[in-house]
Amino acid sequence: MKEITTVWIQSNKEAYRSDVKNSIYEEEYAKKYISDIAFDKEKAKLQPFEFSVDISTMEAVAQGNAGRCWIVAGLNLLREHIVKGLRKSTPQSANFQLSLGYLCFWDKLEKANCFLEKAIQYRNESYNKREVYSWFQYAVTDGGFWTNFKELVKKYGIVPAEIMTETFQSSNTEEMNNRLNFYLRKISAEMRKAALEGQNIENIVEIKEQALKKIFTFLCRCYGCPPDIFTYTFEDEKQKKQYTPKAFYNDFVGEFLDQFVNIISLPYEKLPFGETCVLTDVFQVVGGQEEQFLNLPLYELKEKCIEQLKDGIPVVCMVDDDKMCMEELQLWDDNSFDYVDVTGFDFEMSRKDYFQLKAGIASHSMMLTGVHLGEDGMPERWKIENSYGTDGLHKGYYICSDSWFEKYVLSAVISKKYIMEISSKKQQNKYLFNIWDIM
């Protein structure tokens, strides 16, 4: 290995001092964020909040200090479907929302159950095994994927926001997660110790069952106890009706969720395009479906998004969201930032290398609600219903340039009717990939 020498240091000091531009940037670096220095407001003007395909949607929903963007995006898609159906017979408020806390409660309980089941499965495995290490490293988080969302909704149903309202803990999950994960790891240690002592599997399962009861109580304290039955009426209906959460889901959503497939675009050697890929060792509703994606080239993913938007159906998508964002303008656009000149670094790399080498990860879910197509029919920018908050220039809706889309969008939830030829193809194999491939 080659060391850094005093000669090398002196040479670079002289080169730095001889370039006037460095002193200018040094002054700016002392006062501003690097992103603010790199931002070019003139280029940002090339991305107006105008779209040739623009779905009329409801007010944005804030996720709070909780990583539940995937639940917000999924419920936003469902509420649009519900209200679209209701408008055929009754006018509807733009403020209709489904309860985040209700679904988050069941998500946390299912994740705790899944974690403990995995702890039993791995009880005799070394901590150094990659799967075991990753499982205990991540533990229970707020995050999730489309299949998990779908399975939660189908198992537990949904309720309107006013039936199970937000609490301080549901909107601020860091401490709740810390306490929960501390306890889950402690119980896992007890089960591993019991296995080491040669205790039978029944005793180990009993440790898990007793822990899960305590976790249920803890989650009820955090979120409130989920309702068994509730009374609800939409605005101009005179008669109130009683529902269970599943009956509400069946009445207003039905088979809507089953028409969608999660598309991903990852150009990895082990994930061939046109094939089904299964994300292994992630949280799931035990007994439910695996987390599956259909892997397609990026241009096909974009084509399917445009087709669906043209038919008035929003698109839930998953992105690497913390790159090239100007919050004040609610804009994502890589061309509006000149990091090359400001930092001296060239950041260009292939999409494959970007995600495989962890320059970016799947970090956020949102909903596409519009797109602007140029004269050639190609997308120039996209409209996004985000969950960062309801304030700002566009009240929580963002602009995303097409070049940003190509770099940082990983997946989209697409109706099967737009991918009939691909989805009807008999899948000979399922190609496996791991959570560390995208996180």
Side-chain angles (χ1 to χ4, degrees):
M1 297 176 71
K2 189 175 180 180
E3 68 172 312
I4 294 175
T5 65
T6 55
V7 173
W8 185 94
I9 292 171
Q10 189 59 36
S11 174
N12 279 275
K13 279 185 176 181
E14 290 172 3
Y16 179 81
R17 289 165 181 159
S18 66
D19 190 339
V20 177
K21 183 170 62 176
N22 287 329
S23 61
I24 296 172
Y25 276 135
E26 190 174 323
E27 284 188 24
E28 290 197 76
Y29 270 51
K31 303 172 185 176
K32 301 176 183 177
Y33 290 110
I34 296 174
S35 57
D36 290 337
I37 302 169
F39 180 67
D40 186 335
K41 63 180 179 181
E42 293 304 314
K43 288 186 178 179
K45 291 178 182 177
L46 300 176
Q47 303 295 338
F49 196 70
E50 299 170 1
F51 308 92
S52 55
V53 179
D54 192 351
I55 301 173
S56 177
T57 48
M58 287 174 274
E59 293 178 2
V61 175
Q63 69 186 67
N65 295 318
R68 51 187 178 167
C69 53
W70 59 291
I71 290 179
V72 176
L75 290 180
N76 281 346
L77 178 65
L78 292 191
R79 69 173 180 153
E80 294 296 338
H81 173 74
I82 291 170
V83 171
K84 186 176 181 181
L86 289 169
R87 281 179 180 145
K88 295 175 182 178
S89 58
T90 176
Q92 193 59 34
S93 169
N95 295 319
F96 174 68
Q97 292 184 22
L98 293 165
S99 172
L100 296 176
Y102 176 78
L103 212 58
C104 290
F105 174 94
W106 296 117
D107 174 51
K108 282 295 194 306
L109 185 65
E110 287 286 352
K111 282 176 176 171
N113 183 56
C114 186
F115 184 93
L116 293 171
E117 287 292 324
K118 283 287 186 178
I120 294 173
Q121 177 185 333
Y122 290 143
R123 67 189 182 277
N124 294 314
E125 299 278 359
S126 168
Y127 283 121
N128 295 326
K129 186 176 181 180
R130 183 69 183 269
E131 290 79 6
V132 178
Y133 172 81
S134 294
W135 198 254
F136 286 107
Q137 176 191 23
Y138 290 117
V140 170
T141 68
D142 289 337
F145 301 95
W146 172 258
T147 304
N148 196 23
F149 170 80
K150 182 175 72 172
E151 293 296 307
L152 285 168
V153 170
K154 292 176 72 172
K155 182 172 181 178
Y156 295 105
I158 50 177
V159 303
E162 54 266 51
I163 300 303
M164 189 165 172
T165 58
E166 285 295 291
T167 69
F168 181 83
Q169 303 303 331
S170 69
S171 298
N172 299 273
T173 56
E174 182 177 3
E175 241 190 301
M176 173 177 63
N177 290 346
N178 286 343
R179 293 300 97 195
L180 178 59
N181 283 320
F182 196 149
Y183 184 63
L184 285 169
R185 290 183 173 108
K186 182 252 187 186
I187 295 301
S188 299
E190 286 185 11
M191 291 192 291
R192 291 174 72 86
K193 182 174 180 290
L196 187 65
E197 292 171 350
Q199 293 188 36
N200 60 40
I201 187 64
E202 289 78 12
N203 288 351
I204 295 172
V205 170
E206 181 61 20
I207 294 172
K208 177 241 175 177
E209 292 300 324
Q210 292 303 317
L212 200 60
K213 290 178 182 179
K214 292 182 179 180
I215 291 169
F216 183 89
T217 298
F218 173 69
L219 292 175
C220 284
R221 292 174 181 177
C222 291
Y223 290 100
C225 191
D228 298 314
I229 193 167
F230 61 93
T231 302
Y232 192 76
T233 181
F234 286 96
E235 287 180 346
D236 65 345
E237 294 179 356
K238 295 180 180 179
Q239 188 172 359
K240 294 183 178 181
K241 185 177 177 180
Q242 282 195 328
Y243 298 94
T244 64
K246 285 199 70 172
F248 191 85
Y249 163 75
N250 290 330
D251 277 8
F252 294 105
V253 179
E255 299 178 356
F256 177 69
L257 280 176
D258 292 324
Q259 69 179 266
F260 292 98
V261 174
N262 205 1
I263 308 297
I264 201 166
S265 184
L266 284 177
Y268 294 175
E269 290 92 346
K270 64 180 179 179
L271 302 180
F273 286 136
E275 300 290 347
T276 297
C277 305
V278 176
L279 187 58
T280 63
D281 262 344
V282 291
F283 286 108
Q284 64 182 86
V285 176
V286 175
Q289 289 186 346
E290 302 170 294
E291 196 65 57
Q292 293 189 7
F293 300 84
L294 178 62
N295 196 24
L296 294 182
L298 185 62
Y299 77 89
E300 286 193 48
L301 182 147
K302 289 168 66 175
E303 287 175 355
K304 306 309 175 188
C305 288
I306 293 169
E307 288 183 63
Q308 186 161 305
L309 290 170
K310 283 183 175 179
D311 280 352
I313 304 172
V315 179
V316 172
C317 63
M318 183 172 61
V319 307
D320 178 24
D321 73 317
D322 67 345
K323 309 295 193 302
M324 312 293 185
C325 181
M326 175 48 68
E327 289 282 359
E328 185 179 336
L329 299 179
Q330 299 190 324
L331 168 70
W332 280 292
D333 177 33
D334 52 310
N335 292 319
S336 292
F337 294 85
D338 185 2
Y339 281 109
V340 175
D341 192 60
V342 170
T343 66
F345 300 147
D346 178 2
F347 293 99
E348 284 301 314
M349 61 194 304
S350 71
R351 183 178 170 89
K352 173 184 173 183
D353 288 341
Y354 180 82
F355 288 111
Q356 280 196 322
L357 299 179
K358 300 295 173 286
I361 61 172
S363 57
H364 189 52
S365 292
M366 311 182 291
M367 195 166 74
L368 303 175
T369 63
V371 61
H372 186 76
L373 304 175
E375 292 182 1
D376 58 358
M378 301 302 291
E380 296 179 353
R381 58 186 173 273
W382 304 75
K383 181 183 177 185
I384 293 175
E385 181 177 351
N386 200 11
S387 54
Y388 289 169
T390 57
D391 297 327
L393 188 61
H394 307 299
K395 306 300 182 185
Y397 281 79
Y398 279 61
I399 307 163
C400 157
S401 69
D402 188 59
S403 59
W404 191 94
F405 188 109
E406 292 199 344
K407 286 182 172 68
Y408 304 117
V409 174
L410 281 89
S411 74
V413 178
I414 300 295
S415 174
K416 294 175 184 176
K417 67 181 179 180
Y418 304 112
I419 52 172
M420 288 297 291
E421 292 183 8
I422 306 170
S423 60
S424 62
K425 172 186 169 185
K426 188 175 181 181
Q427 303 289 327
Q428 299 297 324
N429 299 295
K430 289 182 180 179
Y431 295 83
L432 305 181
F433 67 120
N434 306 99
I435 187 65
W436 53 81
D437 287 316
I438 57 174
M439 296 296 289

